[in-house]
């Protein structure tokens, strides 16, 4: 039996999104095509020949209009819309980022979980880094993907979704430049759906994060998303609101220069739960996180004055 295929489900629509992923996109498309399921590639203004790469492999391509801001959320919605136009009875859709490769056997596990529990809106598995030892930043990503198995608050960019749940909440919020998955999963959970991470390798991710500047940008984007999440839903859910406020305030407080003297104490506190590498860079990450939060707050002021929205915060 082909380990990529999922015989227990009739149809799964794959949505591959990308922007200048180069050879990584080839690996992604090839791994998805081995499942035998229908797939579409959605491109966000690539200039590296990504569209041609996809077409050479016989994949339908949706090119987003550059007149509108590019976001991953917009790309995923466009891919979902393409599938629903071509298969109105589609029940499951799998989103995968163009810098990821689908693992053999994952689709069968994901579909089995979804078919066993009709309360599930989405399931995900374990993301792995392709080259965790290439840099400390890749190793940090490898640790970041290791989230607990079981009921979860959200998934990441790669996950298997129930189309009925996506339709009920009108998909992703296309205005979000980051944090679109937690936002969408939150809206699903508010409707009574469940999100689950199951045990099993799902995708291989290629962060290709070799420079400090890349790490900084990625954490800046995360800080922006956290501040935006607090503003959007902090008052709607007491528990989530508390967690978001704690993260935002922690970045504000610990990023202040006078508090740097207490970083050794904070490091020891984090070291109880994390390894030394994670403890060190989680503390340093409060600086770009705060920058991202400030970016969001400034964007709010500009928006009130009729200014331009913030563009993508990219690290590759």
């Amino acid at each position: 039996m082909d380990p990529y295929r999922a015989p227990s489900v009739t149809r799964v629509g794959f949505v591959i999104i990308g922007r200048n992923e180069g050879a990584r996109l080839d690996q992604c498309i090839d791994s998805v095509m081995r499942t035998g399921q229908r797939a579409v590639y959605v491109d966000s203004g690539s200039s590296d020949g990504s569209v041609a790469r996809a077409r050479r492999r016989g994949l339908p391509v949706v090119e987003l209009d550059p007149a509108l801001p590019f976001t991953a959320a917009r790309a995923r919605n466009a891919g979902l819309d393409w599938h629903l136009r071509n298969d109105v009875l589609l029940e499951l859709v799998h989103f995968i980022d163009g810098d990821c490769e689908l693992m053999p056997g994952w689709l069968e596990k994901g579909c089995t979980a979804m078919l066993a529990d009709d309360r599930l809106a989405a399931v995900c598995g374990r993301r792995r880094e392709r080259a965790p030892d290439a840099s400390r930043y890749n190793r940090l990503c490898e640790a970041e993907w290791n989230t607990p198995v079981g009921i979860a608050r959200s998934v990441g960019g790669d996950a298997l979704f129930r189309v009925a749940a996506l339709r009920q909440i009108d998909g992703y919020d296309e205005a979000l430049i980051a944090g679109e998955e937690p936002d969408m999963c939150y809206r699903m959970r508010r409707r009574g759906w469940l999100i689950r991470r199951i045990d099993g390798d799902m995708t291989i991710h290629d962060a290709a994060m070799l420079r400090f500047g890349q790490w900084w940008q990625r954490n800046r984007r995360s800080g922006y998303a956290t501040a935006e999440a607090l503003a959007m839903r902090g008052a709607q859910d007491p528990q989530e609101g508390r967690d978001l406020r704690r993260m935002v305030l922690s970045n504000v407080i610990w990023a202040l220069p006078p508090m740097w003297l207490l970083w050794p104490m904070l490091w020891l506190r984090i070291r109880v739960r994390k390894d030394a590498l994670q403890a060190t860079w989680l503390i340093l990450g409060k600086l770009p996180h705060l920058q991202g939060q400030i970016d969001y707050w400034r964007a709010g002021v500009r928006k009130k004055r009729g200014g331009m929205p913030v563009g993508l915060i990219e690290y590759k």
Side-chain angles (χ1 to χ4, degrees), residues 230-266:
L230 177 60
M232 291 179 64
R233 58 182 188 270
Q236 299 177 28
D237 184 295
Q239 180 60 53
E240 187 150 353
R242 281 194 296 270
D243 292 344
L244 289 168
R245 277 190 293 275
R246 183 166 62 247
M247 286 189 284
V248 168
L249 288 174
S250 176
N251 292 328
V252 171
I253 293 170
W254 288 104
L256 295 174
M259 298 299 292
W260 296 355
L261 296 174
L262 299 179
W263 277 7
M265 180 188 70
L266 180 61

Side-chain angles (χ1 to χ4, degrees), residues 173-187:
D173 184 339
E174 298 186 5
L176 300 181
I177 65 170
E180 66 278 358
E181 302 99 346
D183 168 77
M184 186 178 68
C185 289
Y186 172 79
R187 289 184 281 119

Side-chain angles (χ1 to χ4, degrees), residues 149-200:
V149 170
I151 297 298
R153 283 187 177 180
S154 68
V155 297
D158 309 331
L160 179 65
F161 282 88
R162 198 178 301 277
V163 171
L166 289 165
R167 280 177 149 167
Q168 192 175 64
I169 52 92
D170 295 324
Y172 292 86
D173 184 339
E174 298 186 5
L176 300 181
I177 65 170
E180 66 278 358
E181 302 99 346
D183 168 77
M184 186 178 68
C185 289
Y186 172 79
R187 289 184 281 119
M188 287 176 168
R189 290 188 286 108
R190 294 274 288 185
R191 294 292 190 99
W193 294 97
L194 298 178
I195 312 294
R196 182 184 294 278
R197 175 175 167 206
I198 62 176
D199 189 20

